[in-house]
Structure formats: structure tokens, C-alpha cells
Amino acid sequence: MKKIFDIQRKFRFTVYILLAVSLVLTGFSSFVFVRSLKLVEHSREKIYVLDNGKSLLLALREDISENRPAEARDHVKRFHELFFTMEPDKQYIENNTREALHLADGSAMKQHRSYKENNVYNQVIASNISMTLQTDSVQIDFSAYPYRFWYFGKQRIVRKSTITLRKLLTTGQLRNSSRTDHNPHGFLIEDWLITDNRDLETHKRKSF
């Protein structure tokens, strides 16, 4: 009887040991699994950039969704700066316009053709006019897609004898598109329209 009791006791002890070992192994396996998931997720937040074909540089990638609003505002701002900044240089105007048209749909091309038909570019070149743009603000409604935007800015037009300050208000929509070298933000401006472009003031340039 005593021998049977000893066997049962040893059996229970062995079961307890095996159970304890199983719990430890299960806990360790769970820890390794969770740790592996975190390492994989962390590795996905990194990209490798080729530096002149010679070396690999490690770069952290930010969460795209967090930076998207800033990218959208910069896309709108960049388009307007390219489209409305002009110097009395045909090549300069063409390069700026070409870059701007990569950021928008046919509505921007329509305005570009209107400028050409009205000899805006030729007048800038012939009269040695410099046009720069100051961005006041860019407002975008992210509550509905495609995103409606409003651009507020001022044009500064420098002629030989005068300087004109002109108001610029435009509106349009933003839709997502593929990122390319010509369109790094991955947005496209649609249904773009100039709603206000009237002169605010004009004054004579100081003579030296």
C-alpha cells in the first residue's frame, strides 16, 4: 500500500513538474512571438536608400497617413508657386509651367492656354516683368474625398516703372495619385478655378 502511495506521489510530482515546464515554455514562446512581431513591424518602418550606387543608408520612414495633410498643403502651394512665378525668360516660364502641369489635371492646362491666347507670357518677356507669389494660407477640407481646397495668396508684379500687388484666390479638389519624380506628394489637383485675381494696389517704383 505504501509503495502504491509513493508511486502516486511521484506521478503527481512528475505531472506538476511537466505542467510547470509547459507553462514556462508557453510563456517563453509567447514572449518570443510577440517580440518577433514587434521586430518585424519595426523593420517595416525602415527603408534603405542607395547612395550613388555605392552604399546603403538606413532611413526611417514616417507614417504616411500622419504627414498627408502637410503634403496636401505643400502640393497646392508648390503648384501655385510654379504656375504664377514668372521672369522675362521664355525657358524659365516654360520649365515652371511644365512642372506645375504635372501636379494638376486639364483644368490647369485650360488656364495655361488662356494665358497663351491672351499673350500673358509674351507680355512678361517683352516688358521685362517679374511676377512672384506670396502664399497667405491653404485651407483643405479632409472630411470628404476628393478633398476640396482653397488657396489664398498675393501676386507681386514688378514692371519697369510700377509695382502691383494683386489678390489671388483659387479653389479646386485634390485626389490621391501615384508618387512620381514629377509628383512626389502623390496628389492631383482637379477642377482648378481662379475665383479672384483683382489688383489691390499699384505704386510707382523709386528711381535711383
Side-chain angles (χ1 to χ4, degrees):
M1 191 73 178
K2 184 178 180 181
K3 191 176 287 187
I4 294 175
F5 179 76
D6 289 340
I7 293 173
Q8 290 177 340
R9 188 176 60 182
K10 290 179 180 178
F11 178 76
R12 284 197 299 269
F13 179 75
T14 302
V15 170
Y16 293 150
I17 292 295
L18 291 174
L19 182 61
V21 171
S22 298
L23 290 174
V24 170
L25 290 176
T26 301
F28 180 73
S29 300
S30 299
F31 171 78
V32 171
F33 179 74
V34 172
R35 184 64 178 168
S36 299
L37 286 178
K38 289 183 178 180
L39 288 174
V40 170
E41 186 64 27
H42 183 66
S43 67
R44 287 176 179 173
E45 294 176 353
K46 299 177 182 179
I47 56 175
Y48 290 89
V49 181
L50 192 62
D51 182 22
N52 296 324
K54 296 179 180 179
S55 63
L56 288 176
L57 302 176
L58 183 64
L60 292 178
R61 182 188 64 192
E62 294 183 358
D63 186 352
I64 294 177
S65 61
E66 292 181 359
N67 200 40
R68 206 62 175 149
E71 286 188 310
R73 285 187 290 270
D74 193 61
H75 183 92
V76 173
K77 180 182 176 183
R78 179 62 176 160
F79 165 77
H80 285 80
E81 288 175 346
L82 287 169
F83 198 88
F84 290 102
T85 300
M86 303 181 199
E87 294 292 342
D89 183 312
K90 181 180 179 181
Q91 192 64 49
Y92 179 87
I93 293 174
E94 289 179 350
N95 289 343
N96 272 14
T97 303
R98 184 169 54 251
E99 286 189 46
L101 293 178
H102 284 297
L103 308 180
D105 70 355
S107 57
M109 177 59 74
K110 182 179 179 181
Q111 183 62 47
H112 170 59
R113 287 173 180 162
S114 175
Y115 277 178
K116 291 183 71 174
E117 290 170 1
N118 289 283
N119 290 318
V120 172
Y121 302 125
N122 289 336
Q123 289 175 20
V124 168
I125 296 170
S127 302
N128 289 318
I129 297 173
S130 294
M131 299 175 64
T132 56
L133 184 66
Q134 173 191 322
T135 299
D136 293 329
S137 67
V138 177
Q139 297 180 10
I140 303 178
D141 180 9
F142 290 101
S143 64
Y145 180 82
Y147 313 120
R148 171 65 60 181
F149 73 82
W150 296 267
Y151 177 89
F152 302 86
K154 295 182 183 69
Q155 287 178 281
R156 187 172 185 267
I157 304 170
V158 180
R159 298 182 176 88
K160 185 176 181 180
S161 59
T162 63
I163 296 177
T164 299
L165 195 63
R166 182 176 293 171
K167 188 175 185 179
L168 179 63
L169 301 181
T170 76
T171 186
Q173 295 183 149
L174 280 176
R175 72 170 172 85
N176 294 317
S177 66
S178 299
R179 294 175 188 265
T180 66
D181 290 340
H182 296 298
N183 189 351
H185 291 135
F187 282 109
L188 190 71
I189 292 174
E190 296 181 320
D191 301 329
W192 179 59
L193 182 66
I194 298 174
T195 58
D196 193 349
N197 196 205
R198 53 197 162 99
D199 290 352
L200 295 174
E201 61 180 52
T202 298
H203 60 268
K204 292 183 178 180
R205 294 181 60 185
K206 294 180 180 179
S207 56
F208 297 95

